[in-house]
Structures are given as structure tokens and as C-alpha cells.
Coordinates of all heavy atoms in Angstrom, one line a residue:
M26 N 169.1 26.0 -93.8 CA 169.1 26.3 -95.3 C 170.0 27.5 -95.5 O 170.0 28.5 -94.9 CB 167.7 26.7 -95.7 CG 167.5 27.0 -97.1 SD 165.7 27.3 -97.6 CE 165.1 25.7 -97.8
T27 N 170.8 27.3 -96.6 CA 171.7 28.5 -97.0 C 171.0 29.5 -97.9 O 169.9 29.3 -98.3 CB 172.9 28.0 -97.8 OG1 172.5 27.6 -99.1 CG2 173.6 26.8 -97.1
I28 N 171.7 30.7 -98.1 CA 171.1 31.7 -98.9 C 170.9 31.2 -100.3 O 169.8 31.4 -101.0 CB 171.9 33.0 -98.9 CG1 171.8 33.6 -97.5 CG2 171.4 33.9 -100.0 CD1 172.7 34.7 -97.2
N29 N 171.9 30.4 -100.8 CA 171.7 30.0 -102.1 C 170.7 28.8 -102.3 O 170.1 28.7 -103.4 CB 173.1 29.5 -102.7 CG 173.9 30.7 -103.3 OD1 173.4 31.8 -103.4 ND2 175.2 30.4 -103.4
E30 N 170.4 28.2 -101.2 CA 169.3 27.1 -101.2 C 168.0 27.9 -101.3 O 167.1 27.4 -101.9 CB 169.5 26.3 -100.1 CG 170.6 25.3 -100.2 CD 170.9 24.5 -98.9 OE1 170.3 24.9 -97.8 OE2 171.5 23.4 -98.9
L31 N 167.9 29.0 -100.6 CA 166.7 29.8 -100.6 C 166.5 30.4 -102.0 O 165.4 30.3 -102.6 CB 166.7 31.1 -99.7 CG 166.5 30.8 -98.2 CD1 166.9 32.1 -97.4 CD2 165.0 30.4 -98.0
V32 N 167.6 30.9 -102.7 CA 167.5 31.3 -104.1 C 167.0 30.3 -105.0 O 166.0 30.4 -105.7 CB 168.9 31.7 -104.5 CG1 168.9 32.0 -106.1 CG2 169.3 33.1 -103.8
K33 N 167.5 29.1 -104.8 CA 167.1 27.9 -105.7 C 165.6 27.7 -105.5 O 164.9 27.4 -106.4 CB 168.0 26.8 -105.4 CG 167.7 25.6 -106.4 CD 168.7 24.5 -106.2 CE 168.5 23.4 -107.2 NZ 168.8 22.1 -106.7
Q34 N 165.2 27.5 -104.3 CA 163.9 27.2 -103.9 C 162.9 28.3 -104.3 O 161.8 27.9 -104.9 CB 163.7 26.8 -102.4 CG 162.4 26.2 -102.1 CD 162.4 25.8 -100.6 OE1 163.3 25.3 -100.0 NE2 161.2 25.9 -100.0
A35 N 163.3 29.5 -104.1 CA 162.3 30.6 -104.6 C 162.1 30.6 -106.0 O 161.1 30.8 -106.6 CB 162.8 31.9 -104.1
H36 N 163.2 30.4 -106.7 CA 163.2 30.4 -108.2 C 162.5 29.2 -108.8 O 161.6 29.4 -109.7 CB 164.6 30.6 -108.8 CG 164.6 30.7 -110.3 ND1 163.9 31.8 -110.9 CD2 165.2 30.1 -111.3 CE1 164.0 31.6 -112.2 NE2 164.9 30.6 -112.5
E37 N 162.7 28.1 -108.3 CA 162.0 26.8 -108.6 C 160.6 26.9 -108.4 O 159.8 26.6 -109.3 CB 162.6 25.7 -108.0 CG 164.0 25.2 -108.3 CD 164.1 24.9 -109.9 OE1 163.1 24.2 -110.4 OE2 165.1 25.3 -110.5
N38 N 160.2 27.5 -107.3 CA 158.7 27.7 -107.0 C 158.1 28.7 -108.0 O 157.0 28.4 -108.5 CB 158.5 28.2 -105.6 CG 157.0 28.2 -105.2 OD1 156.4 27.1 -105.3 ND2 156.5 29.2 -104.8
A39 N 158.7 29.8 -108.3 CA 158.2 30.8 -109.2 C 158.1 30.1 -110.6 O 157.1 30.4 -111.3 CB 159.2 32.0 -109.3
K40 N 159.1 29.4 -111.0 CA 159.1 28.7 -112.4 C 157.8 27.7 -112.3 O 157.0 27.7 -113.3 CB 160.2 27.9 -112.7 CG 161.5 28.8 -113.1 CD 162.6 28.0 -113.7 CE 163.1 27.0 -112.8 NZ 164.4 26.4 -113.5
K41 N 157.7 26.9 -111.3 CA 156.6 25.9 -111.2 C 155.3 26.7 -111.3 O 154.4 26.1 -111.8 CB 156.7 25.2 -109.8 CG 155.9 24.0 -109.8 CD 156.0 23.1 -108.6 CE 157.1 23.5 -107.5 NZ 157.2 22.7 -106.3
K42 N 155.1 27.8 -110.7 CA 153.8 28.6 -110.7 C 153.7 29.4 -112.0 O 152.7 30.1 -112.1 CB 153.8 29.5 -109.6 CG 153.8 28.8 -108.2 CD 152.8 27.9 -108.0 CE 152.8 27.2 -106.6 NZ 151.6 26.4 -106.4
G43 N 154.5 29.2 -113.0 CA 154.4 29.9 -114.3 C 154.9 31.2 -114.4 O 154.7 31.9 -115.5
F44 N 155.6 31.8 -113.5 CA 156.1 33.2 -113.6 C 157.3 33.4 -114.6 O 157.6 34.4 -114.9 CB 156.4 33.7 -112.2 CG 155.3 34.0 -111.3 CD1 155.0 33.1 -110.2 CD2 154.4 35.0 -111.5 CE1 153.9 33.4 -109.4 CE2 153.3 35.2 -110.7 CZ 153.0 34.4 -109.7
W45 N 157.8 32.2 -114.9 CA 159.0 32.3 -115.9 C 158.7 31.6 -117.1 O 159.6 31.2 -117.9 CB 160.3 31.7 -115.2 CG 160.9 32.6 -114.1 CD1 160.5 32.6 -112.8 CD2 161.9 33.5 -114.3 NE1 161.2 33.5 -112.2 CE2 162.0 34.1 -113.0 CE3 162.6 33.9 -115.4 CZ2 163.1 35.1 -112.7 CZ3 163.6 34.9 -115.1 CH2 163.8 35.5 -113.8
D46 N 157.4 31.5 -117.5 CA 157.1 30.8 -118.7 C 157.5 31.6 -119.9 O 157.8 31.0 -121.0 CB 155.6 30.5 -118.8 CG 155.1 29.4 -117.8 OD1 156.0 28.8 -117.2 OD2 153.8 29.1 -117.7
E47 N 157.5 32.9 -119.8 CA 158.0 33.8 -120.8 C 159.2 34.5 -120.3 O 159.3 34.7 -119.0 CB 156.8 34.8 -121.3 CG 155.7 34.0 -121.9 CD 154.5 34.9 -122.3 OE1 154.7 36.2 -122.4 OE2 153.4 34.5 -122.5
R48 N 160.0 35.1 -121.2 CA 161.2 35.8 -120.6 C 160.7 37.1 -119.8 O 159.8 37.7 -120.1 CB 161.9 36.4 -121.9 CG 163.2 37.0 -121.6 CD 163.9 37.3 -122.9 NE 165.2 37.9 -122.6 CZ 165.5 39.3 -122.3 NH1 164.5 40.0 -122.2 NH2 166.7 39.6 -122.0
R49 N 161.4 37.2 -118.6 CA 161.1 38.2 -117.7 C 162.0 39.5 -117.9 O 163.2 39.4 -118.2 CB 161.3 37.8 -116.3 CG 160.5 36.5 -115.9 CD 159.0 36.6 -116.0 NE 158.4 37.8 -115.3 CZ 157.9 37.8 -114.1 NH1 157.9 36.7 -113.4 NH2 157.3 38.8 -113.7
E50 N 161.5 40.6 -117.8 CA 162.3 41.9 -118.0 C 162.8 42.2 -116.6 O 162.0 42.1 -115.6 CB 161.3 43.0 -118.4 CG 160.9 42.9 -119.8 CD 162.0 43.2 -120.8 OE1 162.9 43.8 -120.5 OE2 162.0 42.5 -121.9
I51 N 164.1 42.5 -116.5 CA 164.6 42.8 -115.1 C 163.9 44.0 -114.5 O 163.7 44.0 -113.3 CB 166.2 43.1 -115.3 CG1 167.0 41.8 -115.6 CG2 166.8 43.7 -114.1 CD1 168.4 42.0 -116.0
G52 N 163.6 45.0 -115.3 CA 162.9 46.1 -114.8 C 161.6 45.8 -114.1 O 161.2 46.3 -113.1
T53 N 160.9 44.9 -114.8 CA 159.6 44.5 -114.1 C 159.8 43.8 -112.8 O 159.1 44.1 -111.8 CB 158.8 43.5 -115.1 OG1 158.6 44.2 -116.4 CG2 157.6 43.1 -114.6
L54 N 160.8 43.0 -112.8 CA 161.1 42.2 -111.6 C 161.6 43.0 -110.4 O 161.2 42.9 -109.3 CB 162.1 41.1 -111.8 CG 161.5 40.0 -112.8 CD1 162.6 39.1 -113.3 CD2 160.4 39.2 -112.1
L55 N 162.4 44.1 -110.8 CA 162.8 45.1 -109.8 C 161.6 45.9 -109.3 O 161.5 46.2 -108.1 CB 163.9 46.0 -110.4 CG 165.2 45.4 -110.6 CD1 166.1 46.4 -111.4 CD2 165.8 45.0 -109.3
A56 N 160.7 46.2 -110.2 CA 159.5 47.0 -109.8 C 158.6 46.1 -108.9 O 158.0 46.7 -107.9 CB 158.6 47.4 -111.0
L57 N 158.6 44.8 -109.2 CA 157.8 44.0 -108.2 C 158.5 43.9 -106.8 O 157.8 43.8 -105.8 CB 157.6 42.6 -108.9 CG 156.7 42.5 -110.0 CD1 156.8 41.2 -110.8 CD2 155.3 42.8 -109.6
I58 N 159.8 43.8 -106.8 CA 160.5 43.9 -105.6 C 160.1 45.2 -104.8 O 159.7 45.1 -103.6 CB 162.0 43.7 -105.7 CG1 162.4 42.4 -106.2 CG2 162.7 44.2 -104.4 CD1 163.9 42.3 -106.7
H59 N 160.1 46.3 -105.6 CA 159.7 47.6 -105.0 C 158.3 47.5 -104.5 O 158.0 48.2 -103.5 CB 160.0 48.6 -106.1 CG 159.8 50.0 -105.4 ND1 158.6 50.7 -105.3 CD2 160.7 50.9 -104.8 CE1 158.8 51.9 -104.7 NE2 160.0 52.0 -104.5
S60 N 157.4 46.9 -105.1 CA 156.0 46.8 -104.7 C 155.9 46.1 -103.4 O 155.1 46.5 -102.5 CB 155.2 46.1 -105.8 OG 155.4 44.7 -105.7
E61 N 156.8 45.2 -103.1 CA 156.8 44.5 -101.8 C 157.3 45.5 -100.8 O 156.9 45.5 -99.5 CB 157.6 43.2 -101.8 CG 157.1 42.1 -102.7 CD 155.7 41.7 -102.5 OE1 155.1 41.9 -101.5 OE2 155.2 41.0 -103.4
V62 N 158.3 46.3 -101.1 CA 158.8 47.3 -100.1 C 157.6 48.3 -99.8 O 157.5 48.7 -98.7 CB 160.0 48.1 -100.8 CG1 160.5 49.2 -99.9 CG2 161.1 47.1 -101.0
S63 N 156.8 48.7 -100.8 CA 155.8 49.6 -100.5 C 154.7 48.9 -99.7 O 154.1 49.6 -98.8 CB 155.1 50.0 -101.9 OG 156.1 50.7 -102.7
E64 N 154.5 47.7 -99.9 CA 153.6 47.0 -99.0 C 154.0 47.0 -97.6 O 153.2 47.2 -96.6 CB 153.3 45.6 -99.6 CG 152.5 45.5 -100.8 CD 152.3 44.1 -101.5 OE1 152.7 43.1 -100.9 OE2 151.8 44.0 -102.5
A65 N 155.3 46.8 -97.4 CA 155.9 46.9 -96.1 C 155.7 48.2 -95.5 O 155.4 48.3 -94.2 CB 157.4 46.5 -96.2
L66 N 155.9 49.2 -96.2 CA 155.7 50.6 -95.7 C 154.3 50.8 -95.3 O 154.0 51.4 -94.2 CB 156.1 51.6 -96.8 CG 155.8 53.1 -96.5 CD1 156.5 53.6 -95.4 CD2 156.0 54.0 -97.8
E67 N 153.3 50.4 -96.0 CA 151.9 50.6 -95.7 C 151.6 49.7 -94.4 O 150.8 50.1 -93.6 CB 151.0 50.0 -96.9 CG 150.8 51.1 -97.9 CD 150.3 52.5 -97.4 OE1 149.3 52.5 -96.8 OE2 151.1 53.4 -97.6
A68 N 152.2 48.5 -94.3 CA 151.9 47.7 -93.1 C 152.5 48.4 -91.9 O 151.8 48.4 -90.8 CB 152.6 46.3 -93.3
D69 N 153.6 49.1 -92.0 CA 154.2 49.8 -90.9 C 153.3 51.0 -90.6 O 153.0 51.3 -89.4 CB 155.6 50.3 -91.2 CG 156.2 51.0 -90.1 OD1 156.2 50.6 -89.0 OD2 156.7 52.2 -90.3
R70 N 152.8 51.7 -91.6 CA 152.0 52.9 -91.4 C 150.7 52.5 -90.6 O 150.1 53.3 -90.0 CB 151.6 53.5 -92.8 CG 152.8 54.2 -93.4 CD 152.3 54.8 -94.7 NE 151.4 56.0 -94.5 CZ 150.5 56.3 -95.4 NH1 150.3 55.7 -96.6 NH2 149.7 57.3 -95.1
K71 N 150.2 51.3 -90.9 CA 149.0 50.8 -90.3 C 149.2 50.1 -88.9 O 148.3 49.7 -88.3 CB 148.2 49.9 -91.2 CG 147.7 50.6 -92.4 CD 147.2 49.6 -93.5 CE 146.7 50.4 -94.7 NZ 146.4 49.4 -95.8
G72 N 150.6 50.0 -88.5 CA 150.9 49.3 -87.3 C 150.6 47.8 -87.3 O 150.5 47.2 -86.3
R73 N 150.7 47.2 -88.5 CA 150.5 45.8 -88.7 C 151.8 45.1 -88.7 O 152.3 44.8 -89.8 CB 149.6 45.6 -89.9 CG 148.2 46.2 -89.8 CD 147.4 45.9 -91.0 NE 146.0 46.5 -90.9 CZ 145.3 46.7 -91.9 NH1 145.6 46.4 -93.2 NH2 144.0 47.3 -91.7
W74 N 152.3 44.8 -87.5 CA 153.6 44.2 -87.5 C 153.8 42.8 -88.1 O 154.8 42.4 -88.7 CB 154.2 44.2 -86.0 CG 154.3 45.6 -85.5 CD1 153.5 46.2 -84.7 CD2 155.2 46.5 -86.1 NE1 153.8 47.6 -84.5 CE2 155.0 47.8 -85.4 CE3 156.2 46.6 -87.0 CZ2 155.7 48.9 -85.5 CZ3 156.9 47.7 -87.2 CH2 156.7 48.9 -86.5
G75 N 152.7 42.0 -87.9 CA 152.8 40.6 -88.5 C 152.8 40.7 -90.0 O 153.6 40.0 -90.8
N76 N 152.0 41.6 -90.6 CA 152.0 41.8 -92.0 C 153.3 42.4 -92.5 O 153.9 42.0 -93.5 CB 150.9 42.7 -92.4 CG 150.7 42.9 -93.9 OD1 150.6 44.0 -94.4 ND2 150.7 41.8 -94.7
F77 N 153.9 43.4 -91.7 CA 155.2 44.0 -92.0 C 156.3 42.8 -92.1 O 157.0 42.8 -93.1 CB 155.6 45.0 -90.9 CG 157.0 45.6 -91.2 CD1 157.1 46.7 -92.0 CD2 158.1 45.1 -90.5 CE1 158.3 47.2 -92.3 CE2 159.3 45.6 -90.8 CZ 159.4 46.7 -91.7
A78 N 156.3 42.0 -91.2 CA 157.2 40.8 -91.3 C 157.0 40.0 -92.5 O 158.0 39.6 -93.2 CB 157.1 39.9 -90.0
E79 N 155.8 39.8 -92.8 CA 155.5 38.9 -94.0 C 156.0 39.7 -95.3 O 156.4 39.0 -96.2 CB 154.0 38.7 -94.2 CG 153.6 37.8 -95.3 CD 152.1 37.4 -95.4 OE1 151.7 36.8 -94.5 OE2 151.5 37.9 -96.2
E80 N 155.9 41.0 -95.3 CA 156.3 41.7 -96.5 C 157.8 41.7 -96.6 O 158.4 41.7 -97.8 CB 155.8 43.2 -96.5 CG 154.3 43.3 -96.5 CD 153.6 42.6 -97.7 OE1 154.3 42.3 -98.6 OE2 152.4 42.3 -97.5
M81 N 158.6 41.7 -95.5 CA 160.0 41.5 -95.5 C 160.3 40.2 -96.2 O 161.3 40.2 -97.0 CB 160.5 41.5 -94.0 CG 160.5 42.8 -93.3 SD 161.5 44.1 -94.0 CE 160.3 45.1 -94.8
A82 N 159.6 39.1 -95.8 CA 159.8 37.9 -96.5 C 159.5 38.0 -97.9 O 160.3 37.4 -98.7 CB 158.9 36.7 -95.9
D83 N 158.5 38.7 -98.3 CA 158.2 38.8 -99.8 C 159.3 39.4 -100.6 O 159.6 39.1 -101.6 CB 156.9 39.6 -100.1 CG 155.6 38.9 -99.8 OD1 155.7 37.6 -99.7 OD2 154.6 39.5 -99.6
I84 N 159.8 40.5 -99.9 CA 161.0 41.1 -100.7 C 162.2 40.2 -100.8 O 162.7 40.1 -101.9 CB 161.5 42.3 -99.7 CG1 160.4 43.4 -99.6 CG2 162.8 42.9 -100.2 CD1 160.6 44.4 -98.5
V85 N 162.5 39.4 -99.8 CA 163.6 38.5 -99.9 C 163.3 37.4 -100.9 O 164.1 37.1 -101.7 CB 164.0 37.9 -98.5 CG1 165.0 36.8 -98.7 CG2 164.5 38.9 -97.6
I86 N 162.1 36.9 -100.9 CA 161.7 35.8 -101.8 C 161.8 36.3 -103.3 O 162.4 35.7 -104.2 CB 160.2 35.4 -101.6 CG1 160.3 34.5 -100.3 CG2 159.7 34.6 -102.7 CD1 158.9 34.3 -99.7
R87 N 161.3 37.6 -103.5 CA 161.4 38.1 -104.9 C 162.9 38.4 -105.3 O 163.3 38.2 -106.4 CB 160.6 39.5 -105.0 CG 159.1 39.2 -105.1 CD 158.4 40.4 -105.6 NE 156.9 40.3 -105.6 CZ 156.2 39.6 -106.6 NH1 156.9 39.2 -107.6 NH2 155.0 39.5 -106.5
V88 N 163.7 38.9 -104.4 CA 165.2 39.1 -104.7 C 165.8 37.7 -104.9 O 166.6 37.6 -106.0 CB 165.9 39.7 -103.5 CG1 167.4 39.7 -103.6 CG2 165.4 41.2 -103.4
C89 N 165.4 36.6 -104.3 CA 165.9 35.3 -104.5 C 165.6 34.8 -105.8 O 166.4 34.2 -106.5 CB 165.6 34.3 -103.3 SG 166.5 34.7 -101.7
D90 N 164.2 35.0 -106.1 CA 163.8 34.6 -107.4 C 164.5 35.2 -108.6 O 165.0 34.6 -109.6 CB 162.3 34.9 -107.6 CG 161.7 34.5 -108.9 OD1 162.3 33.4 -109.5 OD2 160.8 35.1 -109.4
L91 N 164.7 36.5 -108.5 CA 165.4 37.3 -109.5 C 166.8 36.8 -109.7 O 167.3 36.5 -110.8 CB 165.4 38.8 -109.2 CG 166.1 39.7 -110.2 CD1 165.7 39.5 -111.7 CD2 165.9 41.1 -109.9
C92 N 167.5 36.6 -108.5 CA 168.9 36.1 -108.6 C 169.0 34.7 -109.1 O 169.9 34.4 -109.9 CB 169.5 36.3 -107.2 SG 169.8 37.9 -106.6
G93 N 167.9 33.8 -108.8 CA 168.0 32.6 -109.3 C 167.8 32.6 -110.8 O 168.5 31.8 -111.6
G94 N 166.9 33.4 -111.3 CA 166.6 33.6 -112.7 C 167.9 34.1 -113.6 O 168.0 33.8 -114.7
L95 N 168.7 35.0 -112.8 CA 169.8 35.6 -113.5 C 171.1 34.8 -113.3 O 172.2 35.2 -113.8 CB 170.0 37.0 -113.1 CG 168.8 38.0 -113.4 CD1 169.1 39.4 -112.9 CD2 168.6 38.0 -114.9
G96 N 171.0 33.8 -112.5 CA 172.2 33.0 -112.1 C 173.2 33.7 -111.3 O 174.4 33.5 -111.3
I97 N 172.7 34.6 -110.4 CA 173.5 35.4 -109.5 C 173.8 34.5 -108.2 O 173.0 34.0 -107.6 CB 172.9 36.7 -109.1 CG1 172.9 37.7 -110.3 CG2 173.6 37.4 -108.0 CD1 172.1 38.9 -110.1
D98 N 175.1 34.5 -107.8 CA 175.5 33.8 -106.6 C 175.3 34.8 -105.5 O 176.2 35.4 -105.0 CB 177.0 33.3 -106.6 CG 177.4 32.5 -105.5 OD1 176.7 32.5 -104.4 OD2 178.4 31.8 -105.6
L99 N 174.0 34.8 -104.9 CA 173.7 35.9 -104.0 C 174.4 35.7 -102.7 O 174.8 36.7 -102.1 CB 172.2 35.8 -103.8 CG 171.6 36.9 -102.9 CD1 171.9 38.3 -103.3 CD2 170.1 36.6 -102.5
E100 N 174.6 34.5 -102.3 CA 175.3 34.3 -101.1 C 176.8 34.8 -101.2 O 177.2 35.6 -100.2 CB 175.4 32.8 -100.8 CG 175.9 32.4 -99.4 CD 175.5 30.8 -99.1 OE1 174.4 30.5 -99.3 OE2 176.5 30.3 -98.6
W101 N 177.4 34.5 -102.2 CA 178.8 35.1 -102.4 C 178.8 36.6 -102.5 O 179.6 37.3 -101.9 CB 179.4 34.6 -103.7 CG 180.9 34.9 -103.9 CD1 181.9 34.2 -103.4 CD2 181.4 36.0 -104.7 NE1 183.1 34.8 -103.8 CE2 182.8 36.0 -104.5 CE3 180.8 37.0 -105.3 CZ2 183.6 36.9 -105.2 CZ3 181.6 37.9 -105.9 CH2 183.0 37.9 -105.8
E102 N 177.7 37.1 -103.1 CA 177.7 38.6 -103.3 C 177.4 39.3 -102.1 O 178.0 40.4 -101.7 CB 176.6 39.0 -104.3 CG 176.9 38.6 -105.7 CD 178.0 39.3 -106.4 OE1 178.4 40.3 -106.0 OE2 178.4 38.8 -107.5
I103 N 176.6 38.6 -101.2 CA 176.3 39.2 -99.8 C 177.6 39.3 -99.0 O 177.9 40.2 -98.3 CB 175.1 38.4 -99.2 CG1 173.9 38.8 -99.8 CG2 175.1 38.9 -97.7 CD1 172.6 38.0 -99.5
I104 N 178.3 38.1 -98.9 CA 179.5 38.0 -98.1 C 180.5 39.0 -98.5 O 181.1 39.8 -97.7 CB 180.1 36.6 -98.1 CG1 179.1 35.7 -97.4 CG2 181.4 36.6 -97.5 CD1 179.3 34.2 -97.7
Q105 N 180.7 39.2 -99.9 CA 181.7 40.2 -100.4 C 181.3 41.6 -100.0 O 182.1 42.4 -99.6 CB 181.8 40.1 -102.0 CG 182.3 38.8 -102.5 CD 183.6 38.3 -101.8 OE1 184.6 39.0 -101.8 NE2 183.5 37.1 -101.3
K106 N 180.0 41.9 -100.2 CA 179.5 43.3 -99.8 C 179.6 43.5 -98.3 O 179.9 44.7 -97.9 CB 178.1 43.4 -100.4 CG 177.5 44.8 -100.2 CD 178.3 45.8 -101.0 CE 177.7 47.2 -100.8 NZ 178.4 48.2 -101.5
M107 N 179.3 42.6 -97.6 CA 179.4 42.8 -96.1 C 180.8 43.0 -95.6 O 181.1 43.9 -94.9 CB 178.8 41.6 -95.3 CG 177.2 41.6 -95.4 SD 176.4 40.3 -94.5 CE 176.6 40.9 -92.8
N108 N 181.7 42.3 -96.3 CA 183.1 42.5 -96.0 C 183.6 43.9 -96.4 O 184.3 44.5 -95.6 CB 184.0 41.4 -96.6 CG 183.8 40.1 -96.0 OD1 183.5 39.9 -94.9 ND2 184.2 39.0 -96.7
K109 N 183.1 44.3 -97.6 CA 183.4 45.6 -98.1 C 182.8 46.7 -97.1 O 183.5 47.7 -96.9 CB 182.8 45.7 -99.5 CG 183.2 47.0 -100.2 CD 182.6 46.9 -101.7 CE 182.8 48.2 -102.4 NZ 182.2 48.1 -103.8
N110 N 181.6 46.4 -96.8 CA 180.9 47.5 -95.9 C 181.6 47.6 -94.5 O 181.7 48.7 -94.0 CB 179.4 47.2 -95.7 CG 178.6 47.4 -96.9 OD1 179.0 48.1 -97.7 ND2 177.4 46.9 -96.9
A111 N 182.1 46.4 -94.0 CA 182.8 46.5 -92.7 C 184.1 47.5 -92.7 O 184.4 48.0 -91.7 CB 183.2 45.1 -92.4
L112 N 184.6 47.6 -94.0 CA 185.8 48.5 -94.0 C 185.4 50.0 -94.3 O 186.3 50.8 -94.3 CB 186.7 48.0 -95.1 CG 187.2 46.5 -94.9 CD1 188.0 46.0 -96.1 CD2 188.1 46.5 -93.6
R113 N 184.2 50.2 -94.6 CA 183.8 51.6 -94.9 C 183.7 52.5 -93.7 O 183.6 52.0 -92.5 CB 182.4 51.6 -95.5 CG 182.6 50.9 -97.0 CD 181.2 50.9 -97.6 NE 180.9 52.2 -98.3 CZ 179.8 52.3 -99.0 NH1 178.9 51.4 -99.2 NH2 179.6 53.5 -99.5
E114 N 183.8 53.8 -93.9 CA 183.8 54.7 -92.8 C 182.4 54.8 -92.1 O 181.4 54.3 -92.7 CB 184.3 56.1 -93.1 CG 183.4 56.7 -94.3 CD 184.1 57.9 -94.9 OE1 184.3 58.9 -94.2 OE2 184.5 57.9 -96.2
R115 N 182.4 55.4 -91.0 CA 181.1 55.7 -90.3 C 180.1 56.3 -91.2 O 180.3 57.3 -91.9 CB 181.4 56.6 -89.0 CG 180.1 56.9 -88.2 CD 180.5 57.6 -87.0 NE 179.3 58.2 -86.3 CZ 178.5 57.6 -85.6 NH1 178.7 56.3 -85.3 NH2 177.4 58.1 -85.1
L116 N 178.8 55.8 -91.2 CA 177.8 56.2 -92.0 C 178.2 56.2 -93.5 O 177.5 56.9 -94.4 CB 177.3 57.6 -91.7 CG 176.6 57.7 -90.2 CD1 176.2 59.1 -89.9 CD2 175.4 56.7 -90.1
H117 N 179.2 55.4 -93.8 CA 179.8 55.4 -95.2 C 180.0 56.7 -95.8 O 180.0 57.0 -97.1 CB 178.7 54.6 -96.1 CG 178.5 53.2 -95.7 ND1 177.6 52.3 -96.3 CD2 179.0 52.5 -94.6 CE1 177.6 51.1 -95.6 NE2 178.5 51.2 -94.6
G118 N 180.4 57.6 -94.9 CA 180.9 59.0 -95.3 C 179.7 59.9 -95.7 O 179.9 61.0 -96.3
K119 N 178.5 59.5 -95.4 CA 177.3 60.3 -95.7 C 176.6 60.9 -94.4 O 176.9 60.5 -93.3 CB 176.3 59.4 -96.6 CG 177.0 59.1 -97.8 CD 176.1 58.0 -98.6 CE 176.9 57.5 -99.8 NZ 176.5 56.3 -100.4
R120 N 175.6 61.7 -94.6 CA 174.9 62.3 -93.4 C 174.1 61.2 -92.7 O 173.7 61.3 -91.6 CB 174.1 63.5 -93.8 CG 175.0 64.7 -94.3 CD 174.2 65.9 -94.4 NE 172.9 65.8 -95.2 CZ 171.8 66.3 -94.8 NH1 171.6 67.1 -93.7 NH2 170.8 66.1 -95.6
Y121 N 173.4 60.3 -93.5 CA 172.5 59.4 -92.9 C 172.5 58.2 -93.8 O 173.0 58.2 -95.0 CB 171.1 59.8 -92.6 CG 170.5 60.5 -93.8 CD1 169.6 59.7 -94.7 CD2 170.6 61.8 -94.1 CE1 169.1 60.3 -95.8 CE2 170.0 62.5 -95.1 CZ 169.2 61.7 -95.9 OH 168.6 62.3 -97.0
Ligands
MG208 MG1 153.5 41.2 -100.3

């Protein structure tokens, strides 16, 4: 499965479950992505590695759903950004 197929499937599933019945605010969807990041942090704090992995999946699913809703070609964007990052200096010029 390609990244764009994941995007399509995540967004179609979210629509089917009613999450896109009304217009979505980008800020709300970004906050929901962040909530999954926080859940991953808590899973790590508790040493729950299986749950941590599931939260990683939740983050990607929510990103895919948002990109699907906005018509973003996530696969193309990732490839472009990875190529850009490959040319950046060590630590991207920062301390960490
Ligand atoms: Mg979660």
C-alpha cells in the first residue's frame, strides 16, 4: 500500500464514520493529531510499548485523514521534504 493509498483509506473511513459530516476546522484536526502525540508520550511514560506503537499509528492515521480532507499529495510532499532534508547540514544547523 502506498502512502497516498493510506491517505485515501484513512479519509474514506473517517468520512464513513461521520467525522466529516460537517466542515472541519484545520486547528481542531491539528489538535487531535497532537492529542495522539500526547497519548504516545503517556504510553512511553508508563512503559507500555504496545500502546506506544498503536499511538504512532493513530498519529499517522489522523495526518492521513487531514491530508485526504485537504487534498494534499502527502506522498509527494514527503519525498520532496526528505530530498530537501538530505541536503541540509548536520542537525540542520541547530543544537539538537
Ligand atoms: Mg490514540
